[in-house]
Amino acid sequence: MADEWLALNKENWDERASINMRSAFYDNDTFKAGRSTLVNDELNVIGDVSGKSLLHLQCHFGQDTLSWARAGASVTGLDFSPAAIAAAQSLAVELGIEAEFVVSNVYDAPTTLSRQYDVVYTGIGAICWLPDITAWAKVIAALLQSGGELYMVEFHPTEWIWGDKLTPEYDYFTPKAGLALHETGSYADPAAETKHNETVQWNHNLGDVVTALIEAGLSITALREHETHMVKVWDFLVDAGNGRYTMPAGRANLPFMYTLRAKKP
């Protein structure tokens, strides 16, 4: 079945939407009190977004989307999980923040939305759920207005390969069929009881991401690699501040994340 990956991943994320929303990892209480989840210098890099239309692809239950709205953007969040979108809509209403949330597969977004945006934003841990990065880049180009900008924050593709003891465990170049994984719980709450534990994921290397965006007609304006991580995936990582972690002094550092900017002519 060609779309089996989509059904498996959707079931997985539908089940985890409520788990994640309640988790200490997302800390919804402090978010409701005003905490911004845009902690990777997005607001300084992009600048004033007041009055700009911003689309957040794969928005989950909307914390980042609503953080952009608090910064002044006119926001739309899109995700393939109805459970996550329902949670995002509920959160927006509770906080009195104007935002549009739409259920859609990323690849169907141009048809579903039928409009273009000043900024398309995609956040951490998003593109590993998509099999075709070339088609993804064409979607980005279709969704941007002329002069519009893609801003991307992602886990670095080398981060993918390391196992629990920081030894190579997974291939850097993922097969076309993807990597089938079985994982109970959630990254936000590993102890949570879950039934839908099968997923299919892809590691998209930097060369493929950059080339796909260029071939889609976008101009890359910045690509930066970062030695901080959003998740304490190894016990020996140390607090780098603002919810990020890094290698301790004396250990060789690694690129854990990257940010990319691209413009539509």
Side-chain angles (χ1 to χ4, degrees):
M1 176 178 169
D3 290 336
E4 184 178 5
W5 67 270
L6 182 60
L8 287 173
N9 292 349
K10 182 176 172 296
E11 286 179 340
N12 182 279
W13 280 100
D14 275 341
E15 182 177 29
R16 283 153 179 78
S18 60
I19 293 170
N20 291 353
M21 194 170 185
R22 296 191 303 267
S23 69
F25 179 91
Y26 279 98
D27 193 3
N28 228 10
D29 288 339
T30 62
F31 177 76
K32 290 177 182 179
R35 175 178 60 87
S36 174
T37 58
L38 303 175
V39 298
N40 294 290
D41 211 31
E42 292 95 331
L43 296 175
N44 290 329
V45 172
I46 295 295
D48 187 7
V49 293
S50 299
K52 288 188 176 182
S53 58
L54 183 146
L55 171 64
H56 179 190
L57 295 177
Q58 296 170 272
C59 68
H60 197 29
F61 68 87
Q63 281 191 345
D64 284 357
T65 320
L66 296 175
S67 291
W68 283 112
R70 282 171 167 168
S74 174
V75 300
T76 300
L78 179 141
D79 198 278
F80 73 162
S81 166
I85 289 298
Q89 291 169 333
S90 175
L91 185 59
V93 170
E94 180 180 351
L95 297 177
I97 298 175
E98 187 173 347
E100 179 183 15
F101 288 100
V102 179
V103 177
S104 176
N105 178 357
V106 167
Y107 297 121
D108 297 331
T111 301
T112 302
L113 298 170
S114 299
R115 61 167 297 190
Q116 294 178 316
Y117 298 82
D118 296 314
V119 179
V120 171
Y121 170 77
T122 179
I124 299 157
I127 62 171
C128 66
W129 302 97
L130 303 175
D132 189 340
I133 205 67
T134 299
W136 165 86
K138 291 177 180 177
V139 165
I140 300 293
L143 290 167
L144 282 172
Q145 298 182 24
S146 296
E149 178 172 10
L150 164 69
Y151 190 77
M152 180 180 185
V153 186
E154 253 301 357
F155 291 131
H156 198 285
T158 58
E159 187 267 357
W160 167 284
I161 70 175
W162 306 107
D164 291 340
K165 296 182 180 179
L166 206 60
T167 54
E169 188 171 324
Y170 300 102
D171 290 336
Y172 181 73
F173 299 98
T174 309
K176 186 176 181 179
L179 180 65
L181 295 174
H182 177 93
E183 296 176 302
T184 59
S186 164
Y187 61 88
D189 184 359
E193 293 187 8
T194 52
K195 296 180 180 178
H196 300 290
N197 301 316
E198 312 300 326
T199 63
V200 184
Q201 300 178 41
W202 291 262
N203 188 33
H204 299 293
N205 64 72
L206 284 179
D208 286 349
V209 172
V210 169
T211 300
L213 291 169
I214 292 171
E215 291 180 346
L218 302 184
S219 299
I220 308 297
T221 59
L223 173 60
R224 294 187 172 88
E225 298 167 289
H226 306 281
E227 61 186 26
T228 54
H229 204 304
M230 292 293 294
V231 184
K232 194 174 184 179
V233 288
W234 299 285
D235 290 340
F236 52 77
L237 294 183
V238 297
D239 191 347
N242 207 16
R244 290 171 291 184
Y245 302 90
T246 192
M247 284 289 201
R251 291 198 64 156
N253 59 11
L254 291 169
F256 290 134
M257 294 168 55
Y258 71 96
T259 52
L260 183 150
R261 299 174 71 184
K263 282 203 169 186
K264 183 174 180 177

